Amino acid sequence: QLQLVESGGGLVQAGGSLRLSCAASALTFVWCNMGWFRQAPGKEREFVAVISRTGDRTDYVDSVKGRFTIDRDNTKRTVSLQMNNLKPEDTAVYYCAAQIGSTWSRSRTDFTSWGQGTQVTVSS
């Protein structure tokens, strides 16, 4: 089981930026597509972004396109989410997740390892 630890959350004003990071415990990281999800109070966990094993392919939910960027460093076993022009509706707990194998999916059921989450709060 790949262990994932997120960091970088916090409180920011609308229009500000945050960079989330996720560190993986094992070399199997390099074989995983990596994703970010988020869950706001009272809502289901939703897909935010995913990046392929080699970093050459990405996908984003429409609401963050042009504002968020996912990237990874396989030598450091990290994946990051740069979040710019943050909005109050981006407030949520953000989770890093791993999708092993050849599956390319936004579905949370296709992600087999999850971090504990990091809180992002955007004030208006």
Side-chain angles (χ1 to χ4, degrees):
Q1 185 84 355
L2 188 65
Q3 293 189 344
L4 303 170
V5 179
E6 302 97 336
S7 61
L11 173 63
V12 64
Q13 289 188 331
S17 298
L18 282 174
R19 184 173 178 85
L20 306 183
S21 292
C22 172
S25 63
L27 289 175
T28 50
F29 172 83
V30 302
W31 298 107
C32 297
N33 299 326
M34 297 298 299
W36 287 94
F37 288 73
R38 65 186 180 187
Q39 188 166 17
K43 295 187 177 181
E44 290 192 355
R45 193 171 299 186
E46 67 167 351
F47 167 80
V48 176
V50 62
I51 187 167
S52 63
R53 289 175 285 179
T54 58
D56 62 341
R57 184 180 180 186
T58 58
D59 187 25
Y60 299 89
V61 67
D62 285 348
S63 60
V64 309
K65 284 181 180 177
R67 300 189 298 122
F68 290 11
T69 302
I70 187 171
D71 61 78
R72 67 188 295 162
D73 186 335
N74 284 347
T75 63
K76 296 180 179 179
R77 299 200 300 269
T78 59
V79 59
S80 298
L81 187 68
Q82 177 66 42
M83 306 185 295
N84 298 328
N85 190 22
L86 282 159
K87 303 176 180 181
E89 52 264 41
D90 294 318
T91 295
V93 177
Y94 283 71
Y95 298 88
C96 171
Q99 184 183 80
I100 199 165
S102 60
T103 302
W104 178 256
S105 170
R106 293 182 169 194
S107 174
R108 60 186 178 183
T109 58
D110 289 324
F111 288 79
T112 55
S113 296
W114 293 82
Q116 293 299 308
T118 185
Q119 176 70 48
V120 171
T121 303
V122 184
S123 63
S124 57

Short mmCIF file of all heavy atoms in Angstrom, two decimals, residues 42-109:
data_model
loop_
_atom_site.label_atom_id
_atom_site.label_comp_id
_atom_site.label_asym_id
_atom_site.label_seq_id
_atom_site.Cartn_x
_atom_site.Cartn_y
_atom_site.Cartn_z
N GLY A 42 -20.43 18.72 3.75
CA GLY A 42 -21.75 18.35 3.26
C GLY A 42 -21.81 17.92 1.82
O GLY A 42 -22.90 17.67 1.29
N LYS A 43 -20.65 17.83 1.17
CA LYS A 43 -20.63 17.45 -0.24
C LYS A 43 -19.80 16.19 -0.44
O LYS A 43 -18.99 15.81 0.41
CB LYS A 43 -20.07 18.59 -1.09
CG LYS A 43 -20.93 19.84 -1.09
CD LYS A 43 -20.41 20.85 -2.08
CE LYS A 43 -21.33 22.07 -2.15
NZ LYS A 43 -20.84 23.06 -3.16
N GLU A 44 -19.99 15.56 -1.59
CA GLU A 44 -19.21 14.38 -1.91
C GLU A 44 -17.81 14.79 -2.34
O GLU A 44 -17.57 15.89 -2.80
CB GLU A 44 -19.89 13.59 -3.03
CG GLU A 44 -21.18 12.92 -2.61
CD GLU A 44 -21.68 11.93 -3.64
OE1 GLU A 44 -21.08 11.83 -4.72
OE2 GLU A 44 -22.67 11.24 -3.36
N ARG A 45 -16.89 13.84 -2.19
CA ARG A 45 -15.53 14.07 -2.65
C ARG A 45 -15.53 14.14 -4.17
O ARG A 45 -16.09 13.27 -4.85
CB ARG A 45 -14.62 12.94 -2.17
CG ARG A 45 -13.15 13.23 -2.31
CD ARG A 45 -12.31 12.18 -1.62
NE ARG A 45 -12.59 12.12 -0.18
CZ ARG A 45 -11.89 11.37 0.67
NH1 ARG A 45 -10.88 10.63 0.24
NH2 ARG A 45 -12.21 11.36 1.95
N GLU A 46 -14.88 15.18 -4.70
CA GLU A 46 -14.92 15.37 -6.15
C GLU A 46 -13.51 15.42 -6.74
O GLU A 46 -12.54 15.84 -6.09
CB GLU A 46 -15.65 16.68 -6.51
CG GLU A 46 -14.95 17.95 -6.09
CD GLU A 46 -15.55 19.20 -6.73
OE1 GLU A 46 -16.40 19.08 -7.64
OE2 GLU A 46 -15.15 20.30 -6.33
N PHE A 47 -13.42 15.00 -7.98
CA PHE A 47 -12.19 15.03 -8.74
C PHE A 47 -11.75 16.46 -9.00
O PHE A 47 -12.58 17.32 -9.30
CB PHE A 47 -12.40 14.30 -10.07
CG PHE A 47 -11.32 14.51 -11.08
CD1 PHE A 47 -10.14 13.81 -11.02
CD2 PHE A 47 -11.49 15.44 -12.10
CE1 PHE A 47 -9.15 14.01 -11.96
CE2 PHE A 47 -10.51 15.66 -13.05
CZ PHE A 47 -9.34 14.93 -12.97
N VAL A 48 -10.44 16.71 -8.89
CA VAL A 48 -9.88 18.02 -9.21
C VAL A 48 -8.91 17.92 -10.39
O VAL A 48 -9.05 18.65 -11.37
CB VAL A 48 -9.16 18.62 -8.00
CG1 VAL A 48 -8.49 19.94 -8.37
CG2 VAL A 48 -10.12 18.83 -6.83
N ALA A 49 -7.94 17.03 -10.28
CA ALA A 49 -6.92 16.93 -11.33
C ALA A 49 -6.23 15.58 -11.25
O ALA A 49 -6.20 14.93 -10.21
CB ALA A 49 -5.88 18.05 -11.18
N VAL A 50 -5.66 15.17 -12.39
CA VAL A 50 -4.89 13.93 -12.44
C VAL A 50 -3.72 14.13 -13.40
O VAL A 50 -3.82 14.90 -14.35
CB VAL A 50 -5.77 12.73 -12.88
CG1 VAL A 50 -6.33 12.94 -14.27
CG2 VAL A 50 -5.01 11.42 -12.79
N ILE A 51 -2.61 13.44 -13.10
CA ILE A 51 -1.43 13.51 -13.95
C ILE A 51 -0.93 12.10 -14.20
O ILE A 51 -0.98 11.25 -13.30
CB ILE A 51 -0.34 14.40 -13.30
CG1 ILE A 51 0.83 14.62 -14.25
CG2 ILE A 51 0.14 13.82 -11.96
CD1 ILE A 51 1.78 15.73 -13.79
N SER A 52 -0.47 11.85 -15.40
CA SER A 52 -0.01 10.52 -15.78
C SER A 52 1.32 10.18 -15.10
O SER A 52 1.99 11.03 -14.53
CB SER A 52 0.15 10.43 -17.30
OG SER A 52 1.15 11.34 -17.73
N ARG A 53 1.71 8.92 -15.24
CA ARG A 53 2.94 8.43 -14.59
C ARG A 53 4.17 9.23 -15.02
O ARG A 53 5.05 9.50 -14.21
CB ARG A 53 3.14 6.95 -14.93
CG ARG A 53 2.15 6.03 -14.26
CD ARG A 53 2.32 4.61 -14.72
NE ARG A 53 1.78 4.42 -16.06
CZ ARG A 53 1.81 3.29 -16.72
NH1 ARG A 53 2.39 2.23 -16.18
NH2 ARG A 53 1.28 3.18 -17.91
N THR A 54 4.21 9.57 -16.30
CA THR A 54 5.37 10.29 -16.81
C THR A 54 5.20 11.80 -16.79
O THR A 54 6.13 12.54 -17.11
CB THR A 54 5.68 9.85 -18.25
OG1 THR A 54 4.52 10.11 -19.05
CG2 THR A 54 6.04 8.37 -18.30
N GLY A 55 4.01 12.25 -16.43
CA GLY A 55 3.75 13.68 -16.37
C GLY A 55 3.39 14.32 -17.69
O GLY A 55 3.23 15.54 -17.77
N ASP A 56 3.21 13.51 -18.74
CA ASP A 56 2.96 14.08 -20.05
C ASP A 56 1.48 14.28 -20.35
O ASP A 56 1.12 14.82 -21.41
CB ASP A 56 3.60 13.21 -21.14
CG ASP A 56 3.01 11.81 -21.18
OD1 ASP A 56 2.40 11.40 -20.18
OD2 ASP A 56 3.18 11.12 -22.20
N ARG A 57 0.65 13.86 -19.43
CA ARG A 57 -0.79 13.99 -19.65
C ARG A 57 -1.44 14.46 -18.37
O ARG A 57 -1.12 13.96 -17.29
CB ARG A 57 -1.37 12.65 -20.08
CG ARG A 57 -2.85 12.66 -20.43
CD ARG A 57 -3.30 11.25 -20.83
NE ARG A 57 -4.72 11.22 -21.17
CZ ARG A 57 -5.39 10.09 -21.44
NH1 ARG A 57 -4.76 8.92 -21.42
NH2 ARG A 57 -6.66 10.15 -21.75
N THR A 58 -2.35 15.43 -18.48
CA THR A 58 -3.08 15.93 -17.32
C THR A 58 -4.55 16.11 -17.67
O THR A 58 -4.92 16.21 -18.85
CB THR A 58 -2.51 17.28 -16.82
OG1 THR A 58 -2.57 18.23 -17.89
CG2 THR A 58 -1.08 17.14 -16.34
N ASP A 59 -5.36 16.19 -16.65
CA ASP A 59 -6.80 16.42 -16.82
C ASP A 59 -7.28 17.18 -15.61
O ASP A 59 -6.81 16.93 -14.49
CB ASP A 59 -7.53 15.09 -16.96
CG ASP A 59 -9.00 15.25 -17.31
OD1 ASP A 59 -9.37 16.30 -17.89
OD2 ASP A 59 -9.79 14.33 -17.00
N TYR A 60 -8.22 18.10 -15.83
CA TYR A 60 -8.74 18.93 -14.75
C TYR A 60 -10.25 19.03 -14.82
O TYR A 60 -10.86 18.99 -15.90
CB TYR A 60 -8.19 20.37 -14.87
CG TYR A 60 -6.69 20.50 -14.79
CD1 TYR A 60 -5.90 20.41 -15.93
CD2 TYR A 60 -6.06 20.72 -13.57
CE1 TYR A 60 -4.53 20.52 -15.86
CE2 TYR A 60 -4.68 20.84 -13.49
CZ TYR A 60 -3.93 20.74 -14.65
OH TYR A 60 -2.56 20.86 -14.57
N VAL A 61 -10.86 19.20 -13.67
CA VAL A 61 -12.28 19.53 -13.65
C VAL A 61 -12.43 20.93 -14.21
O VAL A 61 -11.54 21.79 -14.03
CB VAL A 61 -12.84 19.39 -12.22
CG1 VAL A 61 -12.26 20.45 -11.29
CG2 VAL A 61 -14.35 19.44 -12.23
N ASP A 62 -13.52 21.20 -14.89
CA ASP A 62 -13.69 22.47 -15.58
C ASP A 62 -13.55 23.68 -14.64
O ASP A 62 -13.02 24.73 -15.03
CB ASP A 62 -15.05 22.52 -16.27
CG ASP A 62 -15.10 21.68 -17.53
OD1 ASP A 62 -14.03 21.24 -18.00
OD2 ASP A 62 -16.21 21.45 -18.05
N SER A 63 -14.01 23.54 -13.41
CA SER A 63 -14.04 24.68 -12.50
C SER A 63 -12.65 25.18 -12.09
O SER A 63 -12.52 26.28 -11.55
CB SER A 63 -14.84 24.32 -11.25
OG SER A 63 -14.26 23.22 -10.58
N VAL A 64 -11.61 24.40 -12.33
CA VAL A 64 -10.25 24.83 -11.95
C VAL A 64 -9.33 25.04 -13.14
O VAL A 64 -8.19 25.48 -12.96
CB VAL A 64 -9.59 23.83 -10.95
CG1 VAL A 64 -10.53 23.55 -9.78
CG2 VAL A 64 -9.17 22.54 -11.65
N LYS A 65 -9.81 24.73 -14.33
CA LYS A 65 -8.97 24.89 -15.51
C LYS A 65 -8.51 26.34 -15.65
O LYS A 65 -9.29 27.27 -15.50
CB LYS A 65 -9.73 24.46 -16.77
CG LYS A 65 -9.84 22.96 -16.92
CD LYS A 65 -10.59 22.59 -18.20
CE LYS A 65 -10.68 21.09 -18.34
NZ LYS A 65 -11.47 20.68 -19.53
N GLY A 66 -7.23 26.51 -15.92
CA GLY A 66 -6.66 27.84 -16.05
C GLY A 66 -6.22 28.45 -14.73
O GLY A 66 -5.54 29.49 -14.72
N ARG A 67 -6.59 27.83 -13.61
CA ARG A 67 -6.21 28.34 -12.29
C ARG A 67 -5.30 27.37 -11.53
O ARG A 67 -4.41 27.80 -10.81
CB ARG A 67 -7.46 28.60 -11.44
CG ARG A 67 -8.41 29.61 -12.04
CD ARG A 67 -9.52 29.99 -11.05
NE ARG A 67 -10.36 28.86 -10.69
CZ ARG A 67 -10.52 28.44 -9.42
NH1 ARG A 67 -9.93 29.05 -8.43
NH2 ARG A 67 -11.32 27.41 -9.18
N PHE A 68 -5.53 26.07 -11.70
CA PHE A 68 -4.76 25.05 -10.99
C PHE A 68 -3.83 24.33 -11.96
O PHE A 68 -4.18 24.12 -13.13
CB PHE A 68 -5.68 24.01 -10.35
CG PHE A 68 -6.50 24.50 -9.20
CD1 PHE A 68 -6.61 25.84 -8.86
CD2 PHE A 68 -7.19 23.58 -8.41
CE1 PHE A 68 -7.37 26.27 -7.79
CE2 PHE A 68 -7.96 23.99 -7.33
CZ PHE A 68 -8.06 25.33 -7.03
N THR A 69 -2.68 23.92 -11.47
CA THR A 69 -1.73 23.14 -12.26
C THR A 69 -1.20 21.99 -11.42
O THR A 69 -0.70 22.20 -10.30
CB THR A 69 -0.55 24.00 -12.72
OG1 THR A 69 -1.03 25.12 -13.49
CG2 THR A 69 0.40 23.18 -13.59
N ILE A 70 -1.29 20.79 -11.96
CA ILE A 70 -0.75 19.60 -11.29
C ILE A 70 0.59 19.26 -11.94
O ILE A 70 0.75 19.35 -13.17
CB ILE A 70 -1.73 18.42 -11.38
CG1 ILE A 70 -1.25 17.25 -10.53
CG2 ILE A 70 -2.00 18.00 -12.82
CD1 ILE A 70 -2.29 16.13 -10.39
N ASP A 71 1.56 18.90 -11.10
CA ASP A 71 2.84 18.44 -11.63
C ASP A 71 3.44 17.42 -10.67
O ASP A 71 2.95 17.25 -9.55
CB ASP A 71 3.81 19.62 -11.84
CG ASP A 71 4.14 20.37 -10.58
OD1 ASP A 71 4.95 19.88 -9.79
OD2 ASP A 71 3.57 21.47 -10.38
N ARG A 72 4.48 16.73 -11.13
CA ARG A 72 5.07 15.67 -10.31
C ARG A 72 6.57 15.63 -10.53
O ARG A 72 7.08 16.05 -11.56
CB ARG A 72 4.44 14.32 -10.63
CG ARG A 72 4.74 13.80 -12.02
CD ARG A 72 3.91 12.54 -12.31
NE ARG A 72 4.29 11.44 -11.43
CZ ARG A 72 3.51 10.36 -11.24
NH1 ARG A 72 2.32 10.28 -11.84
NH2 ARG A 72 3.93 9.39 -10.45
N ASP A 73 7.24 15.09 -9.53
CA ASP A 73 8.68 14.87 -9.59
C ASP A 73 8.92 13.42 -9.18
O ASP A 73 8.88 13.10 -7.98
CB ASP A 73 9.41 15.85 -8.66
CG ASP A 73 10.92 15.75 -8.79
OD1 ASP A 73 11.43 14.69 -9.20
OD2 ASP A 73 11.59 16.75 -8.46
N ASN A 74 9.18 12.56 -10.14
CA ASN A 74 9.33 11.14 -9.82
C ASN A 74 10.62 10.86 -9.06
O ASN A 74 10.71 9.86 -8.34
CB ASN A 74 9.26 10.31 -11.10
CG ASN A 74 7.83 10.18 -11.60
OD1 ASN A 74 6.88 10.48 -10.90
ND2 ASN A 74 7.70 9.74 -12.85
N THR A 75 11.62 11.70 -9.20
CA THR A 75 12.86 11.48 -8.45
C THR A 75 12.66 11.75 -6.96
O THR A 75 13.32 11.14 -6.12
CB THR A 75 13.99 12.37 -8.98
OG1 THR A 75 13.65 13.74 -8.78
CG2 THR A 75 14.24 12.09 -10.46
N LYS A 76 11.74 12.66 -6.63
CA LYS A 76 11.45 12.97 -5.23
C LYS A 76 10.19 12.27 -4.74
O LYS A 76 9.85 12.37 -3.56
CB LYS A 76 11.29 14.48 -5.07
CG LYS A 76 12.56 15.28 -5.37
CD LYS A 76 12.32 16.76 -5.17
CE LYS A 76 13.58 17.56 -5.46
NZ LYS A 76 13.36 19.02 -5.31
N ARG A 77 9.49 11.58 -5.63
CA ARG A 77 8.21 10.91 -5.31
C ARG A 77 7.21 11.91 -4.74
O ARG A 77 6.61 11.68 -3.67
CB ARG A 77 8.43 9.74 -4.37
CG ARG A 77 9.35 8.65 -4.93
CD ARG A 77 9.16 7.33 -4.22
NE ARG A 77 9.46 7.42 -2.80
CZ ARG A 77 10.64 7.18 -2.27
NH1 ARG A 77 11.66 6.89 -3.06
NH2 ARG A 77 10.81 7.23 -0.97
N THR A 78 7.05 13.01 -5.43
CA THR A 78 6.09 14.01 -5.00
C THR A 78 5.17 14.42 -6.15
O THR A 78 5.56 14.38 -7.33
CB THR A 78 6.78 15.27 -4.46
OG1 THR A 78 7.60 15.83 -5.47
CG2 THR A 78 7.61 14.95 -3.23
N VAL A 79 3.96 14.82 -5.80
CA VAL A 79 3.03 15.42 -6.73
C VAL A 79 2.50 16.69 -6.08
O VAL A 79 2.28 16.71 -4.87
CB VAL A 79 1.90 14.44 -7.12
CG1 VAL A 79 1.11 13.99 -5.91
CG2 VAL A 79 1.00 15.06 -8.17
N SER A 80 2.34 17.72 -6.87
CA SER A 80 1.93 19.01 -6.33
C SER A 80 0.74 19.57 -7.09
O SER A 80 0.47 19.18 -8.22
CB SER A 80 3.10 20.00 -6.42
OG SER A 80 4.19 19.55 -5.65
N LEU A 81 0.05 20.47 -6.42
CA LEU A 81 -1.08 21.18 -7.03
C LEU A 81 -0.89 22.66 -6.75
O LEU A 81 -1.03 23.10 -5.61
CB LEU A 81 -2.41 20.69 -6.46
CG LEU A 81 -3.66 21.23 -7.13
CD1 LEU A 81 -3.78 20.69 -8.56
CD2 LEU A 81 -4.90 20.89 -6.33
N GLN A 82 -0.55 23.41 -7.79
CA GLN A 82 -0.44 24.85 -7.68
C GLN A 82 -1.81 25.46 -7.92
O GLN A 82 -2.40 25.24 -8.97
CB GLN A 82 0.57 25.39 -8.70
CG GLN A 82 0.70 26.89 -8.71
CD GLN A 82 1.30 27.44 -7.43
OE1 GLN A 82 2.26 26.87 -6.91
NE2 GLN A 82 0.76 28.53 -6.93
N MET A 83 -2.28 26.21 -6.94
CA MET A 83 -3.63 26.78 -7.02
C MET A 83 -3.54 28.30 -7.01
O MET A 83 -3.08 28.88 -6.02
CB MET A 83 -4.47 26.28 -5.84
CG MET A 83 -4.51 24.77 -5.72
SD MET A 83 -5.62 24.19 -4.43
CE MET A 83 -4.82 24.86 -2.98
N ASN A 84 -3.94 28.91 -8.10
CA ASN A 84 -3.91 30.36 -8.24
C ASN A 84 -5.32 30.91 -8.34
O ASN A 84 -6.25 30.18 -8.67
CB ASN A 84 -3.10 30.75 -9.47
CG ASN A 84 -1.66 30.33 -9.41
OD1 ASN A 84 -1.06 30.26 -8.33
ND2 ASN A 84 -1.08 30.02 -10.55
N ASN A 85 -5.44 32.20 -8.09
CA ASN A 85 -6.75 32.88 -8.18
C ASN A 85 -7.82 32.09 -7.43
O ASN A 85 -8.89 31.80 -7.97
CB ASN A 85 -7.14 33.07 -9.64
CG ASN A 85 -8.34 33.97 -9.82
OD1 ASN A 85 -8.66 34.78 -8.93
ND2 ASN A 85 -9.03 33.83 -10.93
N LEU A 86 -7.52 31.75 -6.20
CA LEU A 86 -8.43 30.94 -5.41
C LEU A 86 -9.74 31.66 -5.13
O LEU A 86 -9.76 32.89 -4.97
CB LEU A 86 -7.76 30.52 -4.11
CG LEU A 86 -6.77 29.37 -4.27
CD1 LEU A 86 -5.79 29.33 -3.10
CD2 LEU A 86 -7.50 28.04 -4.39
N LYS A 87 -10.80 30.87 -5.07
CA LYS A 87 -12.14 31.39 -4.83
C LYS A 87 -12.71 30.75 -3.57
O LYS A 87 -12.31 29.64 -3.21
CB LYS A 87 -13.04 31.06 -6.02
CG LYS A 87 -12.52 31.59 -7.34
CD LYS A 87 -13.42 31.15 -8.50
CE LYS A 87 -12.89 31.67 -9.83
NZ LYS A 87 -13.77 31.26 -10.95
N PRO A 88 -13.66 31.40 -2.91
CA PRO A 88 -14.26 30.79 -1.70
C PRO A 88 -14.82 29.39 -1.97
O PRO A 88 -14.76 28.53 -1.09
CB PRO A 88 -15.36 31.79 -1.34
CG PRO A 88 -14.84 33.10 -1.82
CD PRO A 88 -14.13 32.78 -3.11
N GLU A 89 -15.31 29.15 -3.16
CA GLU A 89 -15.86 27.83 -3.49
C GLU A 89 -14.78 26.75 -3.62
O GLU A 89 -15.10 25.57 -3.77
CB GLU A 89 -16.72 27.88 -4.75
CG GLU A 89 -16.05 28.52 -5.95
CD GLU A 89 -16.41 29.99 -6.11
OE1 GLU A 89 -16.46 30.71 -5.08
OE2 GLU A 89 -16.62 30.41 -7.27
N ASP A 90 -13.52 27.14 -3.57
CA ASP A 90 -12.43 26.16 -3.56
C ASP A 90 -12.17 25.62 -2.15
O ASP A 90 -11.36 24.70 -1.97
CB ASP A 90 -11.14 26.78 -4.10
CG ASP A 90 -11.23 27.15 -5.57
OD1 ASP A 90 -11.79 26.35 -6.34
OD2 ASP A 90 -10.73 28.23 -5.94
N THR A 91 -12.83 26.18 -1.17
CA THR A 91 -12.65 25.74 0.21
C THR A 91 -13.07 24.28 0.36
O THR A 91 -14.18 23.91 0.00
CB THR A 91 -13.47 26.62 1.17
OG1 THR A 91 -12.95 27.95 1.14
CG2 THR A 91 -13.42 26.08 2.59
N ALA A 92 -12.15 23.47 0.87
CA ALA A 92 -12.39 22.03 1.00
C ALA A 92 -11.18 21.38 1.65
O ALA A 92 -10.13 22.01 1.79
CB ALA A 92 -12.64 21.39 -0.36
N VAL A 93 -11.35 20.12 2.01
CA VAL A 93 -10.20 19.28 2.34
C VAL A 93 -9.71 18.67 1.02
O VAL A 93 -10.50 18.09 0.27
CB VAL A 93 -10.55 18.19 3.35
CG1 VAL A 93 -9.33 17.30 3.60
CG2 VAL A 93 -11.05 18.80 4.65
N TYR A 94 -8.42 18.82 0.76
CA TYR A 94 -7.83 18.31 -0.49
C TYR A 94 -7.07 17.02 -0.21
O TYR A 94 -6.26 16.96 0.73
CB TYR A 94 -6.92 19.36 -1.10
CG TYR A 94 -7.68 20.46 -1.80
CD1 TYR A 94 -8.42 21.39 -1.08
CD2 TYR A 94 -7.70 20.55 -3.19
CE1 TYR A 94 -9.14 22.39 -1.71
CE2 TYR A 94 -8.42 21.55 -3.84
CZ TYR A 94 -9.14 22.46 -3.10
OH TYR A 94 -9.86 23.43 -3.74
N TYR A 95 -7.32 16.03 -1.05
CA TYR A 95 -6.71 14.72 -0.90
C TYR A 95 -5.87 14.36 -2.11
O TYR A 95 -6.28 14.57 -3.26
CB TYR A 95 -7.79 13.64 -0.74
CG TYR A 95 -8.66 13.80 0.46
CD1 TYR A 95 -9.82 14.56 0.43
CD2 TYR A 95 -8.33 13.16 1.67
CE1 TYR A 95 -10.64 14.71 1.54
CE2 TYR A 95 -9.15 13.29 2.79
CZ TYR A 95 -10.29 14.05 2.72
OH TYR A 95 -11.08 14.19 3.83
N CYS A 96 -4.74 13.78 -1.85
CA CYS A 96 -3.89 13.20 -2.86
C CYS A 96 -4.25 11.72 -2.99
O CYS A 96 -4.55 11.06 -1.98
CB CYS A 96 -2.44 13.37 -2.41
SG CYS A 96 -1.20 12.53 -3.35
N ALA A 97 -4.21 11.19 -4.21
CA ALA A 97 -4.58 9.80 -4.41
C ALA A 97 -3.76 9.19 -5.54
O ALA A 97 -3.35 9.87 -6.46
CB ALA A 97 -6.07 9.69 -4.73
N ALA A 98 -3.59 7.86 -5.46
CA ALA A 98 -2.79 7.14 -6.44
C ALA A 98 -3.65 6.14 -7.21
O ALA A 98 -4.49 5.45 -6.62
CB ALA A 98 -1.64 6.40 -5.75
N GLN A 99 -3.40 6.08 -8.50
CA GLN A 99 -4.15 5.20 -9.41
C GLN A 99 -3.10 4.31 -10.10
O GLN A 99 -2.42 4.76 -11.00
CB GLN A 99 -4.88 6.07 -10.42
CG GLN A 99 -5.78 5.38 -11.40
CD GLN A 99 -6.36 6.41 -12.37
OE1 GLN A 99 -5.72 6.83 -13.32
NE2 GLN A 99 -7.60 6.82 -12.11
N ILE A 100 -2.99 3.08 -9.62
CA ILE A 100 -1.93 2.21 -10.13
C ILE A 100 -2.37 1.54 -11.43
O ILE A 100 -3.56 1.35 -11.68
CB ILE A 100 -1.53 1.16 -9.08
CG1 ILE A 100 -0.15 0.59 -9.39
CG2 ILE A 100 -2.58 0.06 -8.98
CD1 ILE A 100 0.45 -0.16 -8.23
N GLY A 101 -1.40 1.24 -12.27
CA GLY A 101 -1.69 0.54 -13.50
C GLY A 101 -2.01 1.48 -14.64
O GLY A 101 -1.69 2.66 -14.60
N SER A 102 -2.68 0.93 -15.64
CA SER A 102 -2.90 1.68 -16.88
C SER A 102 -4.22 2.44 -16.92
O SER A 102 -4.51 3.13 -17.88
CB SER A 102 -2.85 0.72 -18.07
OG SER A 102 -3.85 -0.26 -17.93
N THR A 103 -5.01 2.33 -15.86
CA THR A 103 -6.28 3.05 -15.85
C THR A 103 -6.06 4.54 -15.91
O THR A 103 -5.20 5.07 -15.22
CB THR A 103 -7.05 2.70 -14.56
OG1 THR A 103 -7.26 1.29 -14.50
CG2 THR A 103 -8.39 3.41 -14.54
N TRP A 104 -6.84 5.21 -16.76
CA TRP A 104 -6.83 6.68 -16.79
C TRP A 104 -8.26 7.10 -16.50
O TRP A 104 -9.15 6.94 -17.33
CB TRP A 104 -6.37 7.19 -18.15
CG TRP A 104 -6.37 8.68 -18.26
CD1 TRP A 104 -7.28 9.46 -18.92
CD2 TRP A 104 -5.42 9.59 -17.69
NE1 TRP A 104 -6.95 10.78 -18.80
CE2 TRP A 104 -5.81 10.90 -18.06
CE3 TRP A 104 -4.27 9.43 -16.91
CZ2 TRP A 104 -5.09 12.03 -17.67
CZ3 TRP A 104 -3.57 10.56 -16.54
CH2 TRP A 104 -3.97 11.84 -16.90
N SER A 105 -8.49 7.61 -15.30
CA SER A 105 -9.87 7.81 -14.86
C SER A 105 -9.96 8.98 -13.89
O SER A 105 -9.00 9.28 -13.18
CB SER A 105 -10.36 6.53 -14.18
OG SER A 105 -11.60 6.73 -13.53
N ARG A 106 -11.13 9.60 -13.84
CA ARG A 106 -11.44 10.62 -12.85
C ARG A 106 -12.19 10.03 -11.67
O ARG A 106 -12.46 10.72 -10.70
CB ARG A 106 -12.32 11.71 -13.48
CG ARG A 106 -11.68 12.56 -14.54
CD ARG A 106 -12.68 13.60 -14.99
NE ARG A 106 -12.12 14.63 -15.84
CZ ARG A 106 -12.72 15.78 -16.14
NH1 ARG A 106 -13.92 16.03 -15.64
NH2 ARG A 106 -12.14 16.67 -16.93
N SER A 107 -12.58 8.79 -11.79
CA SER A 107 -13.43 8.19 -10.76
C SER A 107 -12.64 7.87 -9.51
O SER A 107 -11.60 7.21 -9.56
CB SER A 107 -14.07 6.91 -11.30
OG SER A 107 -14.77 6.26 -10.27
N ARG A 108 -13.15 8.30 -8.37
CA ARG A 108 -12.44 8.05 -7.11
C ARG A 108 -12.32 6.55 -6.81
O ARG A 108 -11.42 6.14 -6.10
CB ARG A 108 -13.10 8.77 -5.96
CG ARG A 108 -14.52 8.37 -5.70
CD ARG A 108 -15.14 9.24 -4.63
NE ARG A 108 -16.54 8.89 -4.40
CZ ARG A 108 -17.32 9.52 -3.55
NH1 ARG A 108 -16.86 10.53 -2.85
NH2 ARG A 108 -18.58 9.15 -3.40
N THR A 109 -13.22 5.74 -7.36
CA THR A 109 -13.15 4.30 -7.11
C THR A 109 -11.96 3.65 -7.82
O THR A 109 -11.59 2.53 -7.49
CB THR A 109 -14.45 3.60 -7.54
OG1 THR A 109 -14.66 3.86 -8.93
CG2 THR A 109 -15.63 4.12 -6.75
#
